[in-house]
Amino acid sequence: MKFAEMTVAQFLDALASPDPTPGGGTAAAVAGAMGTSLLVMVTGLAKSNTNTDDEKAALAGAKLALQPLVATLTALADADAASFDEVMAAYRRPKATDEEKAARSAAIQQALQGATTVPLQTLRVCASAMPHAGTVAACGNRSAVSDVGVAIGLLEAAAAGAEANVRTNLGSVKDPQFTSAAADETGRLMTNVSREAAAARARL
Amino acid sequence: MKFAEMTVAQFLDALASPDPTPGGGTAAAVAGAMGTSLLVMVTGLAKSNTNTDDEKAALAGAKLALQPLVATLTALADADAASFDEVMAAYRRPKATDEEKAARSAAIQQALQGATTVPLQTLRVCASAMPHAGTVAACGNRSAVSDVGVAIGLLEAAAAGAEANVRTNLGSVKDPQFTSAAADETGRLMTNVSREAAAARARL
């Protein structure tokens, strides 16, 4: 069952269960989806009388950009759990012969790269949502100012959570090219997230 | 319908809709419930062989303390939306006569105090969950280290989101005793949250 189809109570129970999935990567993606959804809400709350046509167009543009990211993040919540399940399945492969050992190692490495790529994608999506928070803060209704603040905080927590999952899994990836490319991109994205979050807060 | 009974997809749609509720206060409470649930998960993932009896008892104690907070936070998600709906209902009361105006003002003030008390309670619950993150970080399985990190980040975002809602609503409350007591407690709780989050991260 997809997480989006679970009730909120079932999803929380699944997080709380001692099964390793769903874990932090899934929770980060859902938190990002919640933050993005709050921003979409505020794109629908223009300052009405005082909004210029440019401001209305900016809000409409932010809404168009943000809406599909909610579905992307909920899909990443599922992908994160699936990718971690694959890592565990790879570790459970037989290792009696040298051939089996080699195949198991290759499977583990492939699965770990997958389990790195998914939270990296979550981080990319949160980073692409954050610049719109500034637009929403500047052009949205002043009564929703705390909603935008909560959205920024949730997207930051989601990005940091995704980063933690990227770095944990990268620690076991042996391909140096993959590792350095992913680490570099993660660093750049986190810098962007912090900068855009600060810029958005300055417009609240 | 309670938010806990909605599917995750329905809940995200409700956040994204231009209706003012559910908004940031509800999202903050659910984020706190997600962070708390992740901590509960890791209380079930002892280091097994290496855990001392004291560590096992500490994890069991954290689990006992944290589990009921998940239900409290999901109930606060509903209470937050209900309290904001009451504020809006109070503003819609008739104001044709002096009597109506006075009754409307009193109703608005009462509703605003309610809409302050609910996120303050969310903040209290997040603050009471955070110290257990340090226990879970120190005694839980090392493989779950990023899950604990995500939990800490979600509880921080939830606390900050609750704080934003307390302060926004306090801005319209006229009772100086209520205002200063709530502002003081909010400040103290946020200091505790920051301190305990830093202490927990130091044990990761």
Side-chain angles (χ1 to χ4, degrees):
Chain A
M1 185 190 239
K2 289 182 178 175
F3 295 126
E5 294 163 7
M6 288 185 180
T7 67
V8 171
Q10 287 173 328
F11 177 63
L12 292 170
D13 280 348
L15 285 179
S17 99
D19 298 334
T21 59
T26 294
V30 171
M34 285 167 54
T36 306
S37 295
L38 278 176
L39 291 180
V40 171
M41 171 180 85
V42 187
T43 64
L45 302 171
K47 283 180 270 185
S48 44
N49 296 331
T50 59
N51 270 49
T52 64
D53 285 348
D54 280 356
E55 286 174 330
K56 283 177 199 159
L59 283 178
K63 184 176 188 173
L64 264 181
L66 290 166
Q67 263 177 332
L69 302 185
V70 177
T72 305
L73 286 164
T74 55
L76 284 164
D78 292 300
D80 196 276
S83 72
F84 194 75
D85 289 340
E86 279 188 35
V87 172
M88 291 189 298
Y91 275 107
R92 281 192 303 267
R93 285 176 70 129
K95 48 179 178 174
T97 68
D98 284 352
E99 260 183 20
E100 282 179 352
K101 280 180 194 167
R104 177 174 173 272
S105 286
I108 290 170
Q109 284 301 308
Q110 194 181 351
L112 281 167
Q113 290 196 11
T116 306
T117 305
V118 173
L120 181 56
Q121 182 61 15
T122 300
L123 175 51
R124 284 185 194 125
V125 176
C126 291
S128 71
M130 193 67 93
H132 299 290
T135 306
V136 173
C139 307
N141 197 292
R142 296 308 298 163
S143 68
V145 92
S146 63
D147 299 306
V148 181
V150 175
I152 295 168
L154 287 174
L155 282 170
E156 279 183 314
E163 180 199 19
N165 278 273
V166 170
R167 296 203 188 276
T168 297
N169 292 327
L170 266 191
S172 305
V173 171
K174 290 178 179 161
D175 177 340
Q177 275 196 304
F178 180 91
T179 304
S180 80
D184 287 354
E185 185 181 356
T186 300
R188 276 199 307 276
L189 288 166
M190 288 305 289
T191 304
N192 289 352
V193 165
S194 298
R195 189 188 58 233
E196 294 294 337
R201 285 208 173 91
R203 301 174 84 177
L204 280 177
Chain B
M1 185 191 237
K2 289 182 177 174
F3 296 126
E5 295 164 5
M6 288 185 181
T7 67
V8 171
Q10 287 172 329
F11 177 64
L12 291 169
D13 279 347
L15 285 178
S17 98
D19 297 334
T21 59
T26 294
V30 171
M34 284 167 55
T36 305
S37 296
L38 278 176
L39 292 180
V40 171
M41 170 179 86
V42 186
T43 64
L45 302 171
K47 282 180 270 184
S48 43
N49 296 331
T50 59
N51 270 52
T52 64
D53 285 350
D54 280 357
E55 287 174 329
K56 283 178 198 157
L59 283 178
K63 184 175 187 173
L64 265 181
L66 289 166
Q67 262 177 334
L69 302 185
V70 177
T72 305
L73 285 164
T74 55
L76 284 163
D78 292 300
D80 196 278
S83 72
F84 193 76
D85 289 341
E86 278 187 36
V87 172
M88 291 190 297
Y91 274 108
R92 282 193 301 266
R93 286 175 71 129
K95 47 177 179 176
T97 67
D98 284 351
E99 263 182 19
E100 283 178 352
K101 280 181 194 166
R104 176 173 174 271
S105 286
I108 290 170
Q109 284 300 308
Q110 194 181 350
L112 281 168
Q113 290 196 11
T116 306
T117 305
V118 173
L120 182 55
Q121 183 61 15
T122 300
L123 175 51
R124 284 185 195 124
V125 176
C126 292
S128 70
M130 193 66 94
H132 300 290
T135 306
V136 173
C139 307
N141 196 291
R142 297 307 299 163
S143 68
V145 92
S146 64
D147 298 306
V148 181
V150 174
I152 296 168
L154 287 174
L155 282 170
E156 279 184 314
E163 180 199 19
N165 278 273
V166 170
R167 296 203 188 276
T168 298
N169 292 326
L170 267 191
S172 305
V173 172
K174 289 177 181 161
D175 177 340
Q177 275 195 303
F178 180 92
T179 304
S180 80
D184 287 354
E185 186 181 355
T186 299
R188 276 198 308 277
L189 289 166
M190 288 304 291
T191 303
N192 290 353
V193 165
S194 298
R195 189 189 58 235
E196 295 293 338
R201 284 208 174 91
R203 300 173 83 177
L204 280 179

